[in-house]
Amino acid sequence: QQRVFSGVQPTGNLHLGNYLGAIKRFAELQDSYDCIYCVVDMHAITQDMRVWGGPDELRRNIREVTAAYLAAGIDAERHIVFNQSQVAGHAELAWVFNCVARLGWLNRMTQFKEKAGKDRENASVGLYAYPTLMAADILLYRATHVPVGEDQKQHLELTRDIAQKFNNDFGPSIAAQGLGESYFPLPEPLIGGPAARVMSLRDGSKKMSKSDPSDLSRINLTDDADAIASKVRRAKTDSEPLPSEVEGLRPRPEAENLVGIYAALSGTTPAEVLQQFGAGQFSTFKGALVDLAVAKLGPIGAEMKRLVADPGHIDAVLQKGGERARVLADETMRQVKDIVGFVR
Ligand code: ATP
Ligand code: MG
């Protein structure tokens, strides 16, 4: 069976974009693939400590992302749920990939430019090397499919480039080890649907993000009904009524975003949403969106709160997942070491 790998950073403020673009889709893939879902704590510390919050906050957030996975219906018995730092192979393989990837490739990564901002000299080396660690996360399990939001598309392309260069550079060694013509698969991104890129509620040109300083920019998975209602009502929109055709949404990013969210939450398409709400008042549509969001997110938020209240259970899930992941990772690392020529 083909294998899925994906992850979410424990950097706090899990939001609707993380749910619709990633976690909800993780749950949907469980019947079709062997899945490995990781809480990527080593990625979380690439940003400034003020962003990830320090050790206590990190522990809390690792448990919260795990709780979100479970609350969204991910089955940690059938599939593997763990946190990245438990499996040393991620860091080991990332080092090999640091030596395969080229500076020019990393220099093109837009996430680094956005996160480093103007003060690039002060960004961590880890933030720069983030994409090679991400490639290692995926390829350590030789995953074939990776569900992510649209913002991670460029990193997935880099992962494929790294896999391909490794396969080429070490081609004769891979063959000599009896491992076939190429070792790593070129993983396919699974990106799509009306919520592949959920935008900020305050600015239709920016993606909804955990690290946005404005809490009004996002709907958090743990927001209660009042918070969801007030954020949706205050979401930035223009003053026109909704169009009846999707083409009419193109020049209106804020309206397009809310319609996309409604479509994703209701399992329909933007065209179907406009059939129902097109040409009507924005306020009517926003009211319906509040009801839908509360109905869909309320139970998940409540289950997350119930789960994080018992960290012992969550830690046991992560530990067991870590053990199962390590078995797969160790096998890859033995082969990678033989391919590269490290004596073990
Ligand atoms: P940060 O600002 O710390 O990077 P983030 O909100 O981007 O946080 P990540 O942990 O980096 O969250 O990403 C987890 C998953 O959620 C990834 O698959 C990513 O593509 C997806 N994702 C993040 N933001 C959005 C969004 N606005 N719309 C759709 N998917 C998203
Ligand atoms: Mg991100």
Side-chain angles (χ1 to χ4, degrees):
Q1 194 161 8
Q2 295 187 303
R3 183 174 285 159
V4 156
F5 178 95
S6 197
V8 172
Q9 297 187 75
T11 37
N13 302 327
L14 279 176
H15 54 78
L16 186 62
N18 298 137
Y19 178 64
L20 294 176
I23 300 172
K24 177 170 184 277
R25 307 188 54 238
F26 295 178
E28 290 163 357
L29 295 169
Q30 294 184 100
D31 291 332
S32 321
Y33 297 88
D34 287 329
C35 302
I36 303 178
Y37 294 128
C38 189
V39 183
V40 287
D41 47 10
M42 289 157 65
H43 282 282
I45 65 167
T46 57
Q47 279 174 279
D48 195 284
M49 197 186 288
R50 275 172 307 207
V51 175
W52 58 269
D56 290 334
E57 188 73 7
L58 183 61
R59 268 185 283 272
R60 210 180 63 80
N61 287 330
I62 291 169
R63 290 172 181 139
E64 183 171 82
V65 174
T66 311
Y69 284 173
L70 301 178
I74 291 171
D75 182 344
E77 297 286 324
R78 264 168 71 209
H79 300 281
I80 296 180
V81 172
F82 75 109
N83 58 311
Q84 185 185 25
S85 60
Q86 288 205 66
V87 180
H90 292 258
E92 287 185 294
L93 188 57
W95 181 259
V96 175
F97 288 169
N98 279 339
C99 302
V100 171
R102 308 286 92 184
L103 275 181
W105 299 3
L106 287 180
N107 285 340
R108 284 197 289 275
M109 296 295 112
T110 57
Q111 178 176 288
F112 174 75
K113 291 177 193 163
E114 277 157 26
K115 290 200 168 169
K118 288 201 179 67
D119 193 11
R120 202 175 287 185
E121 293 289 303
N122 244 326
S124 75
V125 175
L127 186 67
Y128 187 74
Y130 184 114
T132 56
L133 178 57
M134 177 163 159
D137 299 338
I138 297 162
L139 295 173
L140 186 57
Y141 304 99
R142 293 200 272 164
T144 52
H145 293 81
V146 186
V148 281
E150 169 87 25
D151 61 302
Q152 292 302 318
K153 191 168 179 234
Q154 193 184 37
H155 287 166
L156 243 301
E157 281 160 10
L158 186 89
T159 300
R160 293 166 60 91
D161 289 343
I162 289 174
Q164 188 141 39
K165 187 164 191 297
F166 181 95
N167 289 341
N168 285 340
D169 289 356
F170 294 101
S173 180
I174 293 167
Q177 296 294 332
L179 294 167
E181 294 199 344
S182 67
Y183 182 67
F184 288 117
L186 305 188
E188 298 281 345
L190 299 174
I191 302 172
R197 186 173 179 82
V198 177
M199 307 309 282
S200 157
L201 299 180
R202 306 302 297 170
D203 178 351
S205 69
K206 281 203 314 206
K207 85 167 186 81
M208 189 177 283
S209 192
K210 296 195 205 101
S211 43
D212 193 315
S214 167
D215 196 55
L216 287 177
S217 70
R218 66 182 158 260
I219 295 175
N220 298 310
L221 294 186
T222 48
D223 277 348
D224 61 19
D226 288 345
I228 293 174
S230 102
K231 287 176 181 180
V232 171
R233 272 196 228 100
R234 292 167 71 178
K236 187 178 162 203
T237 44
D238 50 51
S239 51
E240 302 288 309
L242 280 174
S244 338
E245 306 285 335
V246 282
E247 289 71 35
L249 289 173
R250 286 286 164 267
R252 300 171 60 187
E254 285 86 9
E256 184 176 33
N257 187 38
L258 295 182
V259 169
I261 290 172
Y262 193 102
L265 283 172
S266 60
T268 58
T269 61
E272 288 171 284
V273 176
L274 290 180
Q275 266 166 29
Q276 198 180 345
F277 295 100
Q281 282 307 310
F282 234 116
S283 53
T284 313
F285 170 66
K286 278 187 168 180
L289 179 56
V290 169
D291 292 344
L292 179 64
V294 169
K296 296 287 178 183
L297 300 184
I300 294 171
E303 179 66 358
M304 282 170 67
K305 284 175 192 153
R306 191 185 73 78
L307 287 164
V308 293
D310 180 8
H313 170 68
I314 292 194
D315 293 2
V317 167
L318 292 174
Q319 201 174 9
K320 191 162 155 234
E323 278 164 25
R324 291 166 64 197
R326 213 172 293 126
V327 173
L328 302 171
D330 285 352
E331 156 100 0
T332 301
M333 282 318 298
R334 275 196 298 276
Q335 293 174 340
V336 166
K337 285 176 181 174
D338 290 345
I339 291 167
V340 172
F342 291 147
V343 174
R344 53 181 183 88

